[in-house]
Amino acid sequence: MNFALTETQLMIRDMARKFAEERLAHDAIERDEKEEFPHAAVKEMAELGFMGMMVPEAWSGAGLDTISYVLAMIEISRVDASAGVIMSVNNSLVCWGINEYGSDEQKTRYLRDLASGKKLGAFALSEPEAGSDASNQRTVAVKDGDSYVLNGTKNWITNGSTADVVLVMAATDKSKGAKGISAFIVERDTAGFNVAKKERKLGIRSSDTVSISFTDCRVPAANRIGEEGLGFKFAMRTLDGGRIGIAAQAVGIAQAALDASISYAKERKAFDHPIADFQAIQFKIAEMSTNLEAARLLTLDAAFTKDEGQPYGQAAAMAKLYASKVAVENALEAIQIHGGYGYVREYLVERYLRDAKITEIYEGTSEIQRIVIARSLLK
Ligand code: CAA
């Protein structure tokens, strides 16, 4: 791995940092409080090319590498982790999936608008009984002439009520288990597509998480991604990349917790000294910073491995497993350093903890990441 970032990568990082500080920071707390989706910010992120970063320019994307995407994700999530996950799902699950496995017709119809940010996408794999056990799909897609008819319910869908287009995994042959699942591109205004329930969450509250139900929802067969039965592998491969995005989100939150702790420790006085003078605080800051750098390097390494065209599932799982742990730990330490001020809503740091926790759960829990890593090592 080359540790020096290219000029383009540095430019993207600085652009994302400037945007996050100037356009996201001022109302991130208020949006979190009101559970308000950042429509205007997402539009501006699209104008900067942040919604389809890894999609080739020929398909209206920014044509950048995974490292640039990670750097931008870190900066956006450092200020607003809700904006981070909205961006991550559109980039690494939806756009990447269609770009890698979709037909030219699907790319023309959907990818251009998704990558340029004219439209927003969501990824629907999880169900009430298919979370970690993702191949246990109860949503069915029955072939009928030149279309499929979908019935079932999807849970925990990020961007679900805002998305124009949803990638839906459904069983086309239940007897075949994981090999009987197919992936479909479903437009939100299709008859039988219903947004069922908006979740009220602990963190990332200005991102939109819903259940979606399908009742006799008819989707053209031309909207199936790849061959029938390839949907589970499509979802797993797509999630391998998604986990790099979530690792970057976690690095951003962990960085925010460290930054807030350093400035507070220099300002806050106790016993006639800034608390930064005390070893109890210094040791916390040193630990937080060291763990953060390790998480950042694992995440960049996973991105580098993907950009090199090498298998990256294990590296992505390691990055997400470790970075999400560091995000939670750093957020907890930031609260401890801030004392009572860390525990109240007006200060930022309690939000970091609430936002950090989800990175240990979505796109595969930490337990699932350990399974992926162990299987890869022991095969
Ligand atoms: N790449 C390619 N193929 C893969 C793969 C991968 N990463 N992982 C599995 N497969 C293939 C296997 O090789 C196997 O195919 P073969 O039989 O041809 O070899 C097939 O898929 C079935 O694999 P497994 O037998 O390993 O399947 P399993 O049922 O044991 O499940 C699992 C494996 C790792 C536990 C998987 O179910 C998993 O990752 N679960 C977590 C799901 C998840 O991450 N959900 C997140 C939801 S999306 C989300 O959160 C987005 C959001 O809104 C933020």
Side-chain angles (χ1 to χ4, degrees):
M1 175 177 166
N2 182 357
F3 287 89
L5 297 174
T6 64
E7 266 181 40
T8 306
Q9 290 162 349
L10 287 169
M11 184 193 76
I12 295 295
R13 184 198 64 187
D14 294 347
M15 213 164 95
R17 184 173 294 171
K18 189 166 182 292
F19 169 77
E21 283 167 2
E22 290 177 3
R23 307 296 302 157
L24 292 174
H26 64 102
D27 56 359
I29 294 185
E30 194 184 329
R31 271 187 279 106
D32 169 75
E33 198 70 34
K34 293 185 178 162
E35 299 179 279
E36 219 171 72
F37 190 88
H39 289 284
V42 170
K43 199 163 168 274
E44 289 179 53
M45 279 155 67
E47 282 157 15
L48 293 172
F50 289 168
M51 297 308 281
M53 295 187 73
M54 295 168 289
V55 173
E57 285 170 292
W59 294 112
S60 309
L64 293 163
D65 57 12
T66 316
I67 291 190
S68 301
Y69 166 58
V70 159
L71 295 169
M73 269 296 298
I74 292 173
E75 295 303 327
I76 300 290
S77 306
R78 184 169 71 86
V79 172
D80 185 347
S82 291
V85 73
I86 296 164
M87 172 177 161
S88 177
V89 166
N90 199 70
N91 272 277
S92 44
L93 297 185
V94 180
C95 286
W96 191 85
I98 300 178
N99 185 53
E100 205 65 19
Y101 296 101
S103 63
D104 278 358
E105 190 203 330
Q106 290 166 350
K107 290 182 193 177
T108 307
R109 262 194 95 183
Y110 298 107
L111 186 58
R112 286 190 197 287
D113 285 351
L114 287 162
S116 61
K118 284 198 190 98
K119 290 192 171 162
L120 187 68
F123 184 85
L125 173 68
S126 302
E127 298 188 355
E129 291 171 75
S132 291
D133 185 8
S135 64
N136 185 31
Q137 295 284 307
R138 300 286 164 99
T139 298
V140 291
V142 177
K143 187 97 192 276
D144 182 27
D146 59 0
S147 51
Y148 285 85
V149 179
L150 270 63
N151 279 286
T153 302
K154 294 290 176 181
N155 270 25
W156 321 121
I157 310 305
T158 305
N159 297 346
S161 69
T162 327
D164 306 280
V165 172
V166 182
L167 305 192
V168 180
M169 271 40 76
T172 37
D173 185 346
K174 283 191 123 182
S175 67
K176 291 188 180 157
K179 288 190 169 63
I181 294 168
S182 305
F184 300 93
I185 304 173
V186 184
E187 296 180 30
R188 73 170 276 131
D189 52 12
T190 313
F193 179 111
N194 301 300
V195 173
K197 178 176 157 231
K198 181 174 178 189
E199 304 295 345
R200 302 209 57 219
K201 303 177 303 236
L202 176 70
I204 54 159
R205 284 158 50 95
S206 77
S207 77
D208 139 44
T209 308
V210 298
S211 293
I212 298 176
S213 70
F214 302 96
T215 312
D216 295 332
C217 181
R218 191 170 283 273
V219 177
N223 281 24
R224 193 189 65 223
I225 302 175
E227 294 300 307
E228 201 172 273
L230 285 182
F232 189 71
K233 284 198 181 183
F234 164 80
M236 290 299 111
R237 288 196 184 126
T238 305
L239 277 165
D240 282 341
R243 289 166 184 163
I244 301 177
I246 300 304
Q249 184 195 27
V251 170
I253 300 168
Q255 177 76 60
L258 175 67
D259 295 345
S261 300
I262 290 176
S263 13
Y264 187 76
K266 287 182 179 170
E267 255 168 44
R268 170 75 179 172
K269 286 200 170 139
F271 309 101
D272 293 329
H273 285 269
I275 60 171
D277 285 354
F278 302 121
Q279 277 193 344
I281 302 297
Q282 291 169 359
F283 283 11
K284 283 189 194 301
I285 301 272
E287 199 80 22
M288 287 164 80
S289 175
T290 306
N291 295 343
L292 169 61
E293 283 319 302
R296 191 194 314 277
L297 287 172
L298 274 176
T299 306
L300 286 170
D301 179 59
F304 175 80
T305 308
K306 180 166 175 277
D307 286 338
E308 287 291 291
Q310 302 296 324
Y312 55 90
Q314 181 189 322
M318 283 178 166
K320 181 180 180 295
L321 174 64
Y322 189 71
S324 60
K325 176 172 159 300
V326 172
V328 171
E329 286 171 0
N330 275 14
L332 275 169
E333 285 295 53
I335 292 177
Q336 194 65 21
I337 290 168
H338 282 73
Y341 293 106
Y343 200 67
V344 292
R345 283 285 233 253
E346 297 92 281
Y347 277 70
L348 287 166
V349 289
E350 62 84 34
R351 180 167 61 96
Y352 299 150
L353 180 63
R354 291 189 287 105
D355 288 350
K357 185 59 202 168
I358 191 60
T359 64
E360 293 188 314
I361 297 172
Y362 57 22
E363 301 208 17
T365 61
S366 295
E367 291 74 15
I368 290 294
Q369 307 312 320
R370 290 186 179 95
I371 288 173
V372 170
I373 296 162
R375 281 186 182 177
S376 160
L377 292 169
L378 299 169
K379 70 184 174 206

